Amino acid sequence: MPTPSLSNDEKAKVKASIPGSKVLHAARARVYYAYPDPRSWSYAGLQGAIAFVKDGSTGASFFKLVDLDGTRGVIWEHEL
């Protein structure tokens, strides 16, 4: 992956993929998991822009991963 910084086009794609939510921060990222062995991490095959967002209607906070290479929009999310 290139730099963690997002270009202006990538920032616009993130904002367009998450309507109705306030994007607090976003950067390039990959998703890893440690299951079933918590001492061994594996790449989940997901990469894009991870955004920390606050939902406009519920006020809930999320991490949302936006596909930057394709047109799939939000490909992973985790509520905090």
Side-chain angles (χ1 to χ4, degrees):
M1 288 180 59
T3 77
S5 302
L6 298 177
S7 69
N8 288 337
D9 289 339
E10 291 169 334
K11 289 177 187 177
K13 190 171 191 177
V14 169
K15 287 182 182 180
S17 297
I18 310 173
S21 295
K22 170 92 172 144
V23 177
L24 302 173
H25 187 73
R28 290 188 163 271
R30 288 182 162 185
V31 176
Y32 288 82
Y33 62 94
Y35 181 83
D37 179 6
R39 294 168 289 152
S40 177
W41 288 88
S42 299
Y43 174 49
L46 300 172
Q47 68 180 12
I50 189 85
F52 179 55
V53 303
K54 188 158 193 112
D55 187 282
S57 60
T58 65
S61 298
F62 291 87
F63 284 118
K64 295 191 178 193
L65 185 71
V66 176
D67 179 22
L68 292 177
D69 298 325
T71 58
R72 297 183 292 170
V74 175
I75 54 176
W76 178 84
E77 67 179 46
H78 182 79
E79 184 175 4
L80 300 175

